[in-house]
Amino acid sequence: MLLVYPQRQARATEVTQLQVERGDEGVRLSALVRFDLPPVVEDALLKGIPMFFVLEADIYRDRWYWADLHVASAARTIRLAYQPLTRRWRVNIAAGLISNSAGLRATLNQNYDTLPEALAVIQRVARWKIAEASEVNPDAGHRLDFSFRLDLSQLPRPFQIGVAGQRDWTIAVQVKDRLRLEPAAAAAPALPAASSTEAGK
């Protein structure tokens, strides 16, 4: 008798927590991004192909007489790789965006025993500086654009051709909402989770 098991429904990528603080040292963003790692992505990792996740944040100041003014932007690249010899997972975090020709100048390198441990670090953004304090006027209105995605352009060329347009490789979310700043000591979320939307919708 052949048993057919239903496929597990993958959880859509979503931002379940998002907080922005403004202090003397700058504007810092904290977030929790929830997603399930697709089996095809995990299989590629186990075959030695690293994955790159990109975070981007942009702040715009309201202008009633013209288009909103872009006042600050920040980007971060996270590399996830499996090391077969040690059977451990390595996470590298670097400021800015990278290209295939540029090396990853990581500011944080850490090894983990399991994939869930490594993913937990990737999914949690802790007090990431996205702007100088002087760039955001607390008396003016601002908008925040925050995005998180798996960067398929960093895959080897044969993989890029094979995964183009395949939903199994899609890990992406984007949040666009009013920027509600919290004092540096506050812990309340700055944006509700309901404001997060999947990229492409």
Side-chain angles (χ1 to χ4, degrees):
M1 179 174 63
L2 178 64
L3 297 178
V4 178
Y5 295 93
Q7 286 189 329
R8 178 173 56 87
Q9 184 67 33
R11 175 173 49 194
T13 307
E14 59 179 346
V15 178
T16 58
Q17 297 177 25
L18 184 58
Q19 175 183 326
V20 182
E21 301 173 342
R22 183 182 184 276
D24 294 338
E25 76 284 0
V27 179
R28 297 186 179 273
L29 180 149
S30 298
L32 184 61
V33 182
R34 297 285 192 184
F35 63 87
D36 291 327
L37 196 67
V40 290
V41 177
E42 183 174 348
D43 182 63
L45 282 164
L46 291 172
K47 291 178 179 177
I49 300 173
M51 297 294 155
F52 294 82
F53 298 87
V54 172
L55 296 79
E56 294 182 273
D58 293 278
I59 299 176
Y60 298 84
R61 183 180 303 147
D62 295 346
R63 290 197 298 193
W64 62 269
Y65 58 89
W66 199 251
D68 293 344
L69 178 65
H70 185 220
V71 296
S73 64
R76 171 182 285 183
T77 301
I78 304 176
R79 179 182 184 269
L80 172 64
Y82 179 65
Q83 300 170 305
L85 292 179
T86 60
R87 296 184 179 180
R88 304 190 77 191
W89 297 85
R90 187 168 183 82
V91 175
N92 310 101
I93 301 177
L97 302 176
I98 66 169
S99 64
N100 289 314
S101 59
L104 183 69
R105 297 178 295 277
T107 56
L108 176 64
N109 305 282
Q110 188 67 48
N111 292 320
Y112 299 92
D113 292 328
T114 67
L115 178 57
E117 288 176 323
L119 287 177
V121 174
I122 295 172
Q123 293 174 332
R124 183 174 294 279
V125 184
R127 305 194 77 246
W128 173 33
K129 186 175 179 179
I130 60 173
E132 299 294 338
S134 59
E135 293 177 309
V136 176
N137 183 350
D139 297 323
H142 295 80
R143 185 181 86 247
L144 171 69
D145 290 1
F146 171 71
S147 64
F148 176 98
R149 60 184 170 86
L150 173 63
D151 187 2
L152 300 181
S153 69
Q154 299 299 330
L155 293 174
R157 287 293 181 184
F159 268 84
Q160 290 186 37
I161 297 173
V163 305
Q166 292 191 22
R167 294 192 59 182
D168 287 345
W169 285 83
T170 301
I171 300 176
V173 67
Q174 187 173 33
V175 174
K176 294 186 178 184
D177 207 342
R178 304 303 303 165
L179 179 63
R180 293 190 282 274
L181 295 170
E182 299 287 344
L191 295 177
S195 64
S196 62
T197 56
E198 285 185 77
K201 284 190 177 180

